[in-house]
Amino acid sequence: MHRTYNYKDFTVEVETEAVAGIAGERVPATTVRYIADVNITKSGSPAATRRLHFGEDAERPFGTPAEALMRGYGAAQQVIDRMKNAVDLPSVPKED
């Protein structure tokens, strides 16, 4: 499943990927779970691109494609907000 969202001058693309299980589990994987592959771009500029994956590092993939989409989008919003806050910091006057 693929969705594209706009958030604060950024384009967020979220793609879900089905996974059968996570390596290292004691029980053989039978249930399909999902991870979110997220791409963040600003004004179509390839120089301002961030590619992120959610749901696989913590060894806890999402239960449904919809959950993976929404969690991926929510995480992208947090990344964008942090990037914008870092850029919007007030300048400190130089001392002579």
Side-chain angles (χ1 to χ4, degrees):
M1 191 182 291
H2 179 88
R3 294 286 187 272
T4 301
Y5 306 95
N6 292 313
Y7 183 72
K8 294 186 178 179
D9 299 328
F10 290 84
T11 300
V12 177
E13 294 181 74
V14 183
E15 181 87 32
T16 61
E17 181 181 331
V19 291
I22 300 297
E25 287 184 343
R26 293 183 216 181
V27 179
T30 55
T31 304
V32 173
R33 309 287 281 180
Y34 300 87
I35 61 172
D37 184 18
V38 179
N39 190 38
I40 302 170
T41 57
K42 181 170 174 95
S43 303
S45 170
T49 298
R50 297 201 57 159
R51 192 156 201 72
L52 310 165
H53 303 279
F54 297 99
E56 63 185 355
D57 292 337
E59 297 185 2
R60 298 181 66 167
F62 305 112
T64 66
E67 181 184 12
L69 284 174
M70 294 314 299
R71 294 283 182 103
Y73 178 51
Q77 289 174 316
Q78 291 178 3
V79 168
I80 291 167
D81 289 342
R82 285 187 204 132
M83 288 188 322
K84 288 187 76 68
N85 287 339
V87 171
D88 294 341
L89 290 175
S91 61
V92 178
K94 284 186 167 182
E95 293 183 25
D96 294 321

